[in-house]
Amino acid sequence: MGFTRGARQNEFLPGTLDMLVLQTLTHGPMHGYGIAQFIRQRSEDVLQVGEGSLYPALQRLQVKGLVAADWRESDTGRRARYYRLTRLGRVQLEAELESYQRVSRAIARVLQPA
Amino acid sequence: MVTRLLTIVNRLRALVGGRRRDRDLDEEMAFHIAMKVREYVSAGMPEHEARVAARRAFGNLTLAVEDSRAAWRFAFLESILQDVRYGTRALRRTPVFTVAVVLTLALGIGANTAIFTLLDRVLLGSLPVDNPDALVALGSRSEAGTRQSDGPPERDTTLFSYPLYRDFRQHTDVFSDLAAVSSFPVTVYLGPGTPAHGRQLEQAEALLVSGNLFELLGVTVPVGRALTPDDNLTAGGHPVVVLSHRFWTSRFGQDRKVLGRTIHANGTPYTIIGVAGPGLRGLSPGYDTDLWIPMAMQPQLMREASYLDDRNTMWLRLIARLRPGVTREQALARTNDLFRRLVTEEAGRDVTPGTRAAIARLATDLMSFAGGFSHLRERWEKPLLVLMTIVGLVLLIACANVGNLLLARAASRRRELSVRLALGSGRRRLIRQLLTESLMLAVIGGVLALVVARGTVQFLLGFLSARGADMIDTSLDSRVLLFTAGVTALAAFLFGLIPAVRATQAQIHLALRDHSATSAADSHGWKLRRMLVVFQVAVSMCLLVGAGLLLRSLGNLRSQDMGFRADGVLLVEIDPQGGGIPEEQLPNLHRELLDRIGALPDVSAASLSLYGLLGNSRRIHSVSVDGSAARPDEDTRAQTLWVTPRYFEVIGVPVVAGRGFDERDRDGAQRVAIVSESFARRFFGGRPAVGRRFGVDGPESSREIEIVGMVRDIKSTDLWEPPPPLFYRPAAQMPGYLNSIDVRTSRDPAIIAPQLRQVVADVAPNLPILDVTPLVTRIDASLRGERTLSQLTGVFGLVALLLASIGLHGVLAYGVARRTGEIGLRLALGAARRQVLWMVLGDALAWVGAGAVVGLLATLALGRLLSTLLFGLDPIDPITMVVAGATLVVVAVAAAYWPARRAARLDPLNALRCE
């Protein structure tokens, strides 16, 4: 009963998604489609970001001041919004990377055979 | 941290340009889809298929757009705003309910706040002095130093003479200091020069104080300096004054250059040396002091001989500060020892065994002075507490009503809420919405309550103080405001939360299926609601009976036989002394005034007197009679009035024995008096008084006043007490100023007032006229407190009744709605419409009856408490109870009529279909 939210395919924890997006942008300014492509390719099709999650995430990052956006002409000739990392974004990314690595190391330790 | 700050800033900036952002988003998504299409096409899909696939792969576009937009908004705030908007709409859809709840809350909480404020000020407030709890006042009564002339010391242990005060101060060991005060009314002239012209004189209240008072109280003076013991060294040698803050504000506009200027009080110039602080309004709450004057100026201020060395005149209240470590009990014991010792010394060698015994019985008392001379407190403590109880009850009714109304409303919305729950609304969100509604009601009600409170405080002050409504600080206390806010919030929460939770409970399918409002869970609420109605009716009954009793008491007070005929009498208050008229001119002045006024066509009689009837001042002397019939412990004081011969004619008092005053009673002739009946009773038993002699002021005075007549008793000062023993003396035999012109007219007193003023102005242009009042107005003014109390109780009784009716109406309506199916069935089976009407009315009458009976029982139980407030009737008064009960029933039936009528008008088909 009722409408349920979430339960879309390949949904990420919002925190992880933000981190991936920020990391992607270290490679230079990109538009939304480009970011999704990048993540899919780099993860060899394992991580497929749904548009329903990507754009809201990009807006949130913008509100928080971690990315900045402007309109540019894309290589197809059509106008597109390009996102780039701000200095604050870089700082935040580093913090999140460190946190993520600490957690995954901890998990690895736990999973280690005795 | 930084991101949080940036989030807020960005969101604030995003309050503008929403449409642009939406367009950008749309364009962005379109671009994304276009890219996807290209991807599919380049992978070999035909274009139109690619487009469909791309769209599908994107997923829920609307949701994505919404979520994107949500990032830019203050989501929480917006949902609250949405709740408020929704709540406003819902409340506006049912205006009667909204108004009823808001008014109920406003009245209940506002009235309570007002009463609490007043009680706080009058009963609980302390003086703004240093360590008020260490202050005590000597004596057992609460007057603030009424000047009395007295002889034998055993009569009074509240007022002291100045020499006795000095002795006390010198010899006490339990008090760190002792001060003396006495209040006295003055006429004040503020203008330049001398008050020779008699205009611009106004009345004020002065306090004669010993030089150490300010120091004893521990108050500092913000402007100029306070009075010190150096201002009290020689009689008449210190014409200085400290103004009160209010006097300074209203008469001098807070001008700091006022120091050194002169004002005239009772004809003597005083130099202003300071202004007291704003908190120190006086030593008696409710009675402001305008001028603080050194005691050394007593002869000038009172325009009499000096009392400063007179051991026989008791006129001072003493205030003391306890030494640290001394308890009040210890201080009292030591003080009484000292008191007796000092009085024994005073009596000197003429100590008879009787006097010695009397001295041994002497005892004064120590009253807490933290709140000042609480004359107001004593007089009004009971009524105020009664009032507080009443208002508290009304508040309870109000809350009960609000609860009822909210419960009913929630019950009637169960279907709507169930539908919304079924459509997916979060339960918590729904509850929050309902709570917002009740909170809105509570806030509006609370704000209105403040307005009501403000107005009520102003209105109530009219009945507390003697001289106008602005005596007591009326600002609403912050504690009280908090109390109001607290009650409001509590009401909102309690009455909003419970129904909200209940109405959104999970058994939605039951609620949806169940079309009538009946449900098992509700019957518990139903019983509670009925009990609430009965309770409200009971309280209304109590209040109505109380109001009725007070009203009748007031009527009795007003219509009682006061001994004189008040209709047609006009009193003109004059102040020849204040106008600077020399004593030698007085006989001429008096004669001319009486001739000219008596000559006016509408005047039937005119006279002069000292202290008109029912004024604020009176003269009391102690009387000594040879072979007095008075018992040793009985009060041998009597009130005295100085009058010109036609006085009795003016006020309509018959002479019942001997004669009235006439030209024989001149200055220098035999000193005479006319006595009242109770005087004769007290001092002569049943024997005739005419021809007897008596003396005043002290057992050693000569009995040289001969009684030439006796008149009927009059209630000269207090309408409650029986007439006091009174003796009249002819004005011609008294050297001194008279201050009242008494006139009897055959026409409306208001018409001849200007004529009187004109005559006085003609005869003596510099004679100040302080006031011209009909005696009837004076009577009403003296009953102002009683009148206000009865009016208030009446108002609250009606308010309670109104609230009870609203409650009754609501519950009945709900009951009818509940029983719609049953009623339809009855009608369909052949019941007459009238039977249905009576069924509903019968319920209503049953509840009202139960409430009335409970209320009556409560009134009977509480009757004792009211008895001191009633004049001339018993608290258990059947007429009042019957009238109150009848009013109650009538109003209740009116309230019940509509739901009953609606029940009777039901269309049985519709009713059954609803089931």
Side-chain angles (χ1 to χ4, degrees), chain B residues 543-559 783 786-795 798 866 869-871 873 877 880 883:
Chain B
L543 290 177
L544 284 177
V545 171
L549 287 173
L550 286 170
L551 264 171
R552 286 193 62 192
S553 165
L554 183 69
N556 287 348
L557 274 169
R558 192 68 183 64
S559 62
L783 289 175
E786 287 82 355
R787 187 169 39 245
T788 312
L789 185 63
S790 70
Q791 281 171 348
L792 271 179
T793 315
V795 165
L798 287 175
L866 268 185
L869 295 174
L870 298 177
F871 180 83
L873 74 159
D877 184 56
T880 316
V883 169

Side-chain angles (χ1 to χ4, degrees), chain B residues 758-770:
Chain B
Q758 187 59 46
V759 167
V760 173
D762 287 343
V763 167
N766 52 343
L767 176 60
I769 300 176
L770 299 176

Side-chain angles (χ1 to χ4, degrees), chain A residues 1 8 31 33 37 40 51-52 55-56 59-60 62-66 71 74 76 78-81 83 88, chain B residues 3 6-7 10 24-25 27-28 30-32 34-36 38-39 57-58 63-64 67-68 71-72 422:
Chain A
M1 158 135 54
R8 259 177 248 108
H31 51 61
Y33 180 76
Q37 286 290 83
R40 200 175 57 162
E51 292 78 358
Y55 285 100
Q59 299 301 313
R60 278 196 307 271
Q62 239 188 317
V63 168
K64 289 187 194 167
L66 302 176
W71 288 89
S74 72
T76 63
R78 208 173 142 159
R79 203 167 86 112
R81 184 138 72 171
Y83 295 88
L88 188 59
Chain B
T3 42
L6 273 172
T7 311
N10 280 329
D24 283 353
L25 258 177
E27 195 176 336
E28 196 173 357
F31 175 81
H32 190 112
M35 295 293 281
K36 259 224 144 65
R38 255 176 44 132
E39 192 186 320
F58 198 100
L63 197 57
D67 284 349
S68 305
W72 291 92

Side-chain angles (χ1 to χ4, degrees), chain B residues 676-718:
Chain B
S676 71
E677 288 173 318
S678 43
F679 183 103
R681 260 197 309 272
R682 169 139 344 149
F683 294 103
F684 302 113
R687 301 191 308 277
V690 177
R692 303 284 299 269
R693 289 167 176 255
F694 66 94
V696 295
D697 288 341
E700 60 289 331
S701 71
S702 54
R703 317 279 197 271
E704 54 170 29
I705 304 179
E706 183 182 335
I707 300 176
V708 295
M710 184 167 77
V711 291
R712 196 55 72 73
D713 276 331
I714 61 171
K715 289 200 172 183
S716 52
T717 24
D718 192 325

Side-chain angles (χ1 to χ4, degrees), chain B residues 233-271:
Chain B
L233 300 171
T234 54
H238 304 275
V240 293
V241 62
V242 171
L243 304 177
S244 79
H245 201 261
R246 289 189 74 233
F247 194 79
W248 179 53
T249 307
S250 64
R251 310 296 198 279
F252 293 97
Q254 297 205 350
D255 180 9
R256 283 184 170 253
K257 298 200 289 291
V258 85
L259 295 179
R261 279 172 58 174
T262 308
I263 65 170
H264 288 78
N266 283 358
T268 313
Y270 293 83
T271 312

Side-chain angles (χ1 to χ4, degrees), chain B residues 142-204:
Chain B
S142 295
E143 301 149 37
T146 318
R147 189 214 127 208
Q148 286 187 347
S149 194
D150 214 341
E154 60 258 40
R155 293 294 175 255
D156 198 328
T157 54
T158 298
L159 298 178
F160 299 85
S161 70
Y162 193 67
L164 191 60
Y165 154 68
R166 276 203 306 253
D167 291 340
F168 251 116
R169 186 150 178 265
Q170 197 176 8
H171 292 109
T172 183
D173 54 353
V174 287
F175 298 129
S176 54
D177 202 356
L178 209 65
V181 300
S182 180
S183 77
F184 198 72
V186 294
T187 44
V188 175
Y189 175 70
L190 301 170
T194 58
H197 302 289
R199 316 260 179 255
Q200 305 150 28
L201 282 188
E202 39 187 306
Q203 291 191 299

